[in-house]
Amino acid sequence: MAEENTPFDDELKQESAIEDETSNNGKSEAADNAYTELLDRYQRTLAEFDNFRKRTLKEKAGAYDNGVNDAIEKLLPTLDNFERALASSENKDDKFYKGIEMIARQLESYLTDLGVETIKVNGENFDHNLHFAVAHVEDPQYGTGEIIEQLQKGYTYKGKVMRPSMVKVAN
């Protein structure tokens, strides 16, 4: 017995085919949405990781610089004491003097290797960012604000003033 197709059956088959296409498109659209969402999450995660990596490197460099700053601040008074001992010595040919001088130069060399620079004062005008005036002298021989004498050396590290130079300034 052969089945006969009625017009009603043909209409049902067409509706069924339309529903199949719609459901496949719906599945494809859902998959596309899921893919887009996962891609977005992946890209955001990569960006967050890259930001984390950069922030960590910056913090690490900052921690290193802070450690160097602390070490420098603790070494500067020792260097000052060596320089005072050298300045107060009367016999520059003495072996003890030469030994102290060698130690002072070695310490200066170590600080220079770290990136510490001495603040220049000779022939300079007073700059409140680099110098600390502890005395003012009235002397017509010098110009206004000119540094006359350095009482204690000042130092910078990577452009940051570690300690300003103590100076005498002419008015």
Side-chain angles (χ1 to χ4, degrees):
M1 212 174 163
E3 285 187 34
E4 289 185 32
N5 284 341
T6 62
F8 182 71
D9 287 337
D10 287 339
E11 200 174 295
L12 279 177
K13 285 180 185 176
Q14 286 177 349
E15 283 181 13
S16 175
I18 290 173
E19 284 177 10
D20 286 345
E21 283 182 28
T22 305
S23 66
N24 283 340
N25 284 342
K27 287 179 185 175
S28 176
E29 195 174 301
D32 285 346
N33 288 342
Y35 172 77
T36 304
E37 182 182 329
L38 287 174
L39 180 64
D40 183 55
R41 285 176 46 195
Y42 171 73
Q43 289 172 338
R44 287 178 188 269
T45 302
L46 279 179
E48 286 177 18
F49 179 74
D50 190 45
N51 290 339
F52 170 76
R53 185 181 56 80
K54 288 176 184 175
R55 186 174 56 249
T56 302
L57 288 174
K58 187 176 180 181
E59 288 172 0
K60 184 178 176 183
Y64 175 79
D65 285 346
N66 287 340
V68 171
N69 284 340
D70 290 345
I72 292 168
E73 286 175 356
K74 288 182 170 82
L75 289 174
L76 289 180
T78 303
L79 183 58
D80 292 338
N81 289 333
F82 276 121
E83 289 181 359
R84 281 187 202 101
L86 291 172
S88 68
S89 178
E90 295 172 6
N91 187 2
K92 308 263 188 236
D93 295 325
D94 185 38
K95 289 181 182 179
F96 183 74
Y97 175 87
K98 299 256 187 227
I100 295 295
E101 184 179 38
M102 287 173 54
I103 294 170
R105 299 309 153 239
Q106 185 179 24
L107 184 55
E108 283 179 350
S109 173
Y110 171 70
L111 291 173
T112 301
D113 290 345
L114 285 174
V116 177
E117 296 177 2
T118 304
I119 296 173
K120 307 282 188 266
V121 295
N122 293 340
E124 298 287 320
N125 283 332
F126 179 77
D127 179 357
H128 70 280
N129 294 316
L130 302 174
H131 309 115
F132 180 65
V134 293
H136 292 278
V137 177
E138 295 290 334
D139 192 340
Q141 179 182 347
Y142 298 102
T144 303
E146 187 176 340
I147 296 173
I148 297 173
E149 182 182 355
Q150 175 174 259
L151 303 172
Q152 185 180 43
K153 284 185 179 178
Y155 298 93
T156 62
Y157 173 67
K158 291 189 175 181
K160 178 184 172 192
V161 176
M162 297 295 303
R163 181 178 75 190
S165 296
M166 278 195 209
V167 295
K168 262 190 217 182
V169 181
N171 282 341

